[in-house]
Amino acid sequence: MKNLLRFIFLSFTAFLIQNCFASYENFCLLTGTLLQTPEQMIRSMTRVNANGQFIPNSEYEVSEFKLKVLINQSEKVGRTDSGCQLPNNKPYELSISLPRAYGLVNAKKGDTIKLMHVITDNRGTKPQNYYILQE
């Protein structure tokens, strides 16, 4: 009986461990040239409480940069196993918005920038992509 309980406990533990580590992240370092000067957008936001009412004196600003980049190079970073190839080994155009990318304040058309492309895949769900400016 004791061995049966141990077997059930170990089987359950192995199942949990497998499901906990079933997601992965791929990191790709993208190098590209700005096709236009980045546009900075500043939005004013107000926090809302659980009832949907505005909280007084809770205003804050959110800064976002719109980019148009020609990606020339893509390379794996860390334990990445896939997803870092240029399509058909050719440069491609990428249009994205980056929040809080203050390193782009003085950027101009023609500048070279580096972006970290993070691809998160959880078992059974749609992969999520996001980008981080590399200073």
Side-chain angles (χ1 to χ4, degrees), residues 43-66:
R43 292 182 282 153
S44 181
M45 306 290 283
T46 303
R47 288 184 175 82
V48 179
N49 65 17
N51 297 327
Q53 299 170 334
F54 292 112
I55 300 172
N57 301 320
S58 66
E59 295 85 14
Y60 65 99
E61 289 184 346
V62 176
S63 183
E64 195 170 288
F65 292 81
K66 289 180 87 174

